[in-house]
Amino acid sequence: MTDRLAVFLRTQFTEELEKARFASSTVTQDPGRFGVAPEDAAKHARFSVATAEVHLALLEDTVVPHLGAAGAAGLTAEYQLRLLAAPYVEHNDYPHE
C-alpha cells in the first residue's frame, strides 16, 4: 500500500508543480488581466512554485527513502506519507487499501 501511495503522491505533486509553474508564468506575464498588482503576482507565483517543490522534495528526500525501514524511522515515514496524502483521500485515483 505504501508503495502505491508514494507513486500516487509523486504523480500529484509533480502535476501540481507543473500547474504552479504554468499559472505563475501566465499571471506574471499579464497580472493586470487577472486584477492583481505585478508585485503580488510575482510573490504568489514564487510561493506557489516553492510550495509544490517542497512537497515533492519532502516526499522524495525524507519519506520515500525510509518507507519499509524497521523501527521508528519506518513508522515515521509511513505516518508522514499518510499525512501528505490526507488531502487527496477523495481523489478518484487514491489507492485505498
Side-chain angles (χ1 to χ4, degrees):
M1 170 63 182
T2 58
D3 290 341
R4 289 180 25 227
L5 192 52
V7 169
F8 168 79
L9 281 177
R10 183 178 297 117
T11 300
Q12 296 310 306
F13 292 163
T14 300
E15 286 177 10
E16 287 175 13
L17 179 56
E18 290 171 8
K19 287 177 187 176
R21 286 179 175 155
F22 176 78
S24 296
S25 173
T26 302
V27 172
T28 56
Q29 287 177 8
D30 190 7
R33 176 177 169 211
F34 300 97
V36 295
E39 58 276 0
D40 291 338
K43 238 189 273 187
H44 183 71
R46 286 191 303 274
F47 176 80
S48 297
V49 171
T51 300
E53 288 174 340
V54 165
H55 285 150
L56 195 54
L58 180 63
L59 177 68
E60 296 296 348
D61 298 343
T62 66
V63 176
V64 171
H66 301 286
L67 287 174
L75 291 174
T76 300
E78 185 172 341
Y79 180 66
Q80 290 172 328
L81 181 70
R82 293 188 187 285
L83 285 174
L84 288 170
Y88 301 95
V89 170
E90 299 299 323
H91 190 283
N92 288 338
D93 296 330
Y94 187 93
H96 293 282
E97 295 180 59

